[in-house]
Each structure stands twice: as C-alpha cells, then as structure tokens.
Amino acid sequence: MDQKRKIDKKYIYIAVTLFAAIAASIAFFFIIYNAKDTDLGLSKLISAIKPFIYGAIIAYILVPMCNFYEKCFDFLTTCLKLDKQRIHGVCVFLSIILSFCTASLIIYILISLIIPQLIVSLTTIAGNLDSYYQTIIVWIEDLFKNNEFLKKYFEIISLELSSNLTDLIQTKILPSATTFISSFSSGVITAVSFLTDLFIGIIVSVYILNSRVKFSAQARIFMHCIMKEKFADKIIKEVRYANKMFLGFITGSIVDSAIIGIICFIGTSILGMPYALLVSVIVGVTNIIPFFGPFIGGIPAAFLILMVDPIKCIWFVIFIFILQQADGNIIKPLILGERTNLNSFWVLFAILLFSGLYGFAGMIFGVPLFAVIYHLLQELIMKGMKKRNYVPTPEDAELSLLNEYLEKQNEEFSDKEKSSGGIINSIIGIFKKKNKDSDSE
C-alpha cells in the first residue's frame, strides 16, 4: 500500500511538473506574441503603483539616516536607564520624523544657495548671447589673422551659421510657440499628477520605514517557506550584498560629487572664472556618473566659459583635468575604496550597456548592478572549482586576481562559516596546499 502511494505521488509530481512547464511555455509565447499589449499592461501597472515606487525609493534613501537616529535614541535610553520596550515605538517615530526633517533641511539649503545664483547666471547668459558670439568671432579672427585662407573660410562658416540660426528662429521656434502654449496645459496636469504621486509616496515611505524590520522578518520567513534553507540563506545573503553595494556606492558617489563641486567652486572662484557656481554645479552633478561624468560635465562648462573668455576656457580645461585626476586617484578611492571590485574595462562595459538599456539612470546604477552580477559569477566559478577540485596555477591566479578575491572573502567570513567549512574556505585550503606543494618542488 505504501509502495503504491509512493508511485502515485511520483506520477502526480511528474504530471504537475509537466503542466507547469506547458503553462509557462504558453504564457511566455503569449507575452512575446502580444509584446505591445504586454508593454501597455506593464505601463498601466507601473503607473498605478507609482506612489509605492516613489515611497520605496524615499524610504531606501532615508534608511541609513533613520538607523543612525535610532541608535542615538538607544544610547540615550541606556544612559537614562529607561524601559526600551515601552518607548521603542516612540523612538522609531521620532527617528523617522528627524530623518525627514534632516533631508528637507539639506534640500532647502541646497535650493536656497544654488537656485538663486543659477537663475542670475542663466539670465546673464541669455542677455549676453550676442556679445558672447561677437567675442568668439573676434577671438577666432585674431587667431587666424595671419592665414587669409582660414580667415575667409571661417567668415563663410560664420555667415552661414548666422543665417541658419535666424532661419531656425523664424521658421521653427516661433511657429512652434503656439504648439508649446497648447501643450502647456497637459504639462501642468502631468506635474500635478507627479506631485500627487510624490505626496502619497512620502506617506507610503513613512509606513515602510516604520515597518521595515517587520517586512524584513516576513520576507525571511517567506523565503524559507517556499524553498530549501540553503537556497533561502543564499538569496538573503546576496540581497544583503546587493543592498550594501548599491547603498554604499550611491552614498559614496553623492559625497564624492559634493566634494568635487565644492573644490571646483573654490578653484574657479580663485581663478576668476565666470559663472563659477553654475559651472561647479554642472561638474559636481555629472561627476556622479562613473568614467564619463567628468567629460559630460566639463564640455558644457568649458563652452560657457569660452563664450566669455576663451583664454580662461583653456585654464579651466587644465584645472578640470587636474581635479578629475585627483578625484579618480585620491578622493574617490578614499571614499568608495574598491567597493565594486570591477576594473576599468568592466566599469566602461557596464556604463555603455545599462545606459543603452535604461538611459541616464542606467549610467548611474549600472556599475553597482553589474558589480552584483559579477559577484554572483565569481561565486558560481568558486562553486565549480570546488566541485571539480580544480585549482589554477599560481601565475593564472595572480593574473586573474583570484588571490586578492580569496583573501577578501576569507576576511569577510564569520567564525561560524569558517568552522562549518564554507566553499570559499575550502578552496583557500586547497589553493594554499597546492601552492605549497609547487613551492617545495
């Protein structure tokens, strides 16, 4: 009877597996065949849950600040010998309020310091465009005054440019003013919708911050209920690594960009550069983007200075080159360290790949996302090495940076993981043993 039940369960398991595979194949075909409808449905779903997306992003940004305030309150309750369990809810609520107040204060200070100066700079640029154009023309004519051929060629280009600009204003920009006015109302509606979603998102973020410990515990229980313990622990470990990677990288990049912006403002002010604050804001904001950030910010900033004083533009380019070298080799490594564990080639690859897929957001978040993928591939390789009992030669290990990776992983392992004989720890033992044997030979 028991043998019959086992056979029946086996066939039931096979039938359910086949049914799930066929259903998944049909669903996949339906999604591919109806890609436009699927995309429209996803757009509607994302539009419906936008407040929750905004709330999750706000909560994720404020979590470190909220944890800091909670630790401060725990320290105070310990010093004052108060009942932690009784006032825990009050401490959490005050931590959330203080986090929002701190974030609002930072935003207010930035706006009050930067926006008025930006408006003045942009107004000045708009009012002096004609004089800037004449300045550049005179400078280039002086540059080519000893070469009649280049001088005449440049005069032809400048006349064509002037006529084309006039034609663009008369035939394109002015007639489209009516269209702009008619579309202004839809823009207002979009702005109001965004502000509404943002306001609801702020409320959602308060609930997320207040229940973040509960949600984390529920997620751990859920993961252990739907899969084996080793897989659940593995996923939880990787999620924690991804959180550490993203939060550390984004926070460090923001701090680094703020430092670069401040240094740039001080340097441009000392050198007497025009629009020092506007240029520093451009350089600081674009510096968040790895690798390409200095070039993206330096080109428009140099063009602004070129319109006022071409000679100072040359000095600005030299100054930015020195500043970015100092940032890439000194400041950024001190702040971020080797957090991403990626060399320059993979950083460039990640930026190009994710910027092509997700635009500007991909340029910022592509590097930490690819670092997480790279980390997963490293662990898969480690598992394959352990399974096949393969250890590379010392030369290959040195060239592939395997030595460095193993040492870092060994340092991060807890005593419990070391005593239980984890994958990395086992590979380190095999690796050291083989290297010792090769040295003795």
Side-chain angles (χ1 to χ4, degrees):
M1 191 68 178
D2 293 338
Q3 186 69 23
K4 185 179 179 181
R5 285 182 180 178
K6 287 182 180 179
I7 295 173
D8 291 341
K9 285 183 179 180
K10 179 181 178 181
Y11 285 121
I12 291 172
Y13 177 78
I14 294 172
V16 170
T17 304
L18 287 173
F19 175 79
I22 294 170
S25 301
I26 295 172
F28 182 75
F29 173 77
F30 178 80
I31 292 172
I32 297 298
Y33 186 75
N34 301 279
K36 291 184 178 179
D37 296 333
T38 304
D39 184 61
L40 181 62
L42 288 174
S43 300
K44 288 184 178 180
L45 177 63
I46 292 173
S47 178
I49 63 172
K50 267 185 181 179
F52 291 92
I53 295 174
Y54 293 155
I57 294 172
I58 294 170
Y60 187 74
I61 293 172
L62 294 181
V63 159
M65 201 180 299
C66 196
N67 290 337
F68 170 76
Y69 283 122
E70 282 192 17
K71 289 179 181 178
C72 292
F73 281 118
D74 288 340
F75 177 75
L76 287 175
T77 52
T78 302
C79 293
L80 298 175
K81 297 181 179 180
L82 300 175
D83 189 354
K84 290 185 178 181
Q85 293 183 350
R86 180 175 296 181
I87 64 172
H88 176 71
V90 178
C91 293
V92 172
F93 178 75
L94 290 176
S95 300
I96 295 172
I97 296 298
L98 286 174
S99 300
F100 274 98
C101 290
T102 305
S104 301
L105 181 62
I106 293 171
I107 294 172
Y108 172 76
I109 291 173
L110 291 174
I111 291 175
S112 61
L113 289 176
I114 295 173
I115 296 299
Q117 294 295 325
L118 290 181
I119 292 173
V120 172
S121 300
L122 293 174
T123 304
T124 305
I125 292 172
N128 296 329
L129 279 177
D130 185 60
S131 63
Y132 294 155
Y133 175 75
Q134 295 299 327
T135 301
I136 296 174
I137 295 295
V138 171
W139 180 73
I140 295 178
E141 286 179 350
D142 291 338
L143 189 65
F144 297 147
K145 64 182 178 180
N146 295 326
N147 193 322
E148 290 296 328
F149 174 77
L150 291 176
K151 184 177 180 181
K152 288 180 179 180
Y153 185 71
F154 173 72
E155 287 177 354
I156 294 171
I157 293 176
S158 62
L159 288 174
E160 289 182 359
L161 181 63
S162 178
S163 61
N164 290 336
L165 184 61
T166 304
D167 182 67
L168 178 66
I169 294 172
Q170 291 177 351
T171 60
K172 299 291 184 181
I173 297 177
L174 292 178
S176 63
T178 306
T179 307
F180 173 75
I181 294 171
S182 62
S183 63
F184 180 74
S185 57
S186 62
V188 171
I189 294 173
T190 304
V192 171
S193 176
F194 169 75
L195 291 175
T196 303
D197 291 339
L198 183 62
F199 177 74
I200 299 173
I202 292 173
I203 298 174
V204 171
S205 67
V206 174
Y207 283 100
I208 293 175
L209 287 171
N210 186 51
S211 305
R212 64 188 187 279
V213 178
K214 184 190 299 182
F215 289 156
S216 178
Q218 290 173 346
R220 288 195 298 270
I221 293 172
F222 176 75
M223 294 301 296
H224 282 88
C225 288
I226 63 172
M227 61 184 65
K228 293 182 178 179
E229 184 177 358
K230 62 177 183 179
F231 294 120
D233 290 338
K234 183 66 176 175
I235 291 174
I236 292 170
K237 178 186 174 183
E238 294 304 327
V239 168
R240 286 174 177 170
Y241 178 84
N243 174 65
K244 177 184 175 182
M245 182 67 62
F246 272 88
L247 199 59
F249 183 83
I250 300 302
T251 305
S253 297
I254 292 173
V255 173
D256 174 66
S257 298
I259 293 172
I260 292 300
I262 293 170
I263 295 174
C264 182
F265 177 70
I266 295 172
T268 51
S269 299
I270 293 173
L271 294 173
M273 299 288 176
Y275 311 117
L277 183 61
L278 177 61
V279 166
S280 301
V281 170
I282 295 173
V283 171
V285 170
T286 55
N287 195 69
I288 296 176
I289 303 171
F291 198 84
F292 290 112
F295 305 102
I296 295 173
I299 292 172
F303 181 73
L304 289 175
I305 298 174
L306 176 66
M307 292 191 301
V308 180
D309 192 334
I311 302 300
K312 285 186 177 180
C313 175
I314 298 173
W315 286 109
F316 173 76
V317 171
I318 296 172
F319 170 72
I320 287 297
F321 178 77
I322 296 172
L323 178 61
Q324 294 303 333
Q325 288 297 312
D327 177 47
N329 296 298
I330 300 173
I331 300 174
K332 187 166 285 185
L334 286 175
I335 297 174
L336 293 176
E338 298 298 329
R339 192 177 297 276
T340 59
N341 197 29
L342 298 176
N343 59 32
S344 301
F345 172 81
W346 290 119
V347 171
L348 178 61
F349 176 80
I351 294 170
L352 293 176
L353 174 64
F354 288 101
S355 64
L357 294 174
Y358 305 109
F360 182 77
M363 297 184 76
I364 298 175
F365 298 102
V367 174
L369 179 59
F370 189 81
V372 174
I373 298 172
Y374 191 81
H375 173 74
L376 291 173
L377 289 174
Q378 283 180 321
E379 294 210 339
L380 286 174
I381 291 170
M382 292 294 111
K383 185 174 289 187
M385 290 170 61
K386 175 66 168 58
K387 185 176 181 181
R388 290 163 179 78
N389 199 25
Y390 166 74
V391 177
T393 63
E395 292 79 10
D396 287 342
E398 188 69 28
L399 290 172
S400 64
L401 302 180
L402 178 63
N403 292 332
E404 184 179 347
Y405 174 76
L406 291 174
E407 290 300 328
K408 284 183 179 179
Q409 292 293 96
N410 195 33
E411 290 174 1
E412 293 177 1
F413 263 37
S414 64
D415 294 335
K416 181 180 178 181
E417 288 172 320
K418 285 182 180 180
S419 61
S420 61
I423 295 172
I424 303 295
N425 203 28
S426 300
I427 294 172
I428 292 173
I430 299 170
F431 185 79
K432 289 181 177 179
K433 183 177 182 297
K434 187 169 183 179
N435 287 345
K436 186 177 179 181
D437 294 340
S438 63
D439 292 338
S440 62
E441 292 175 358

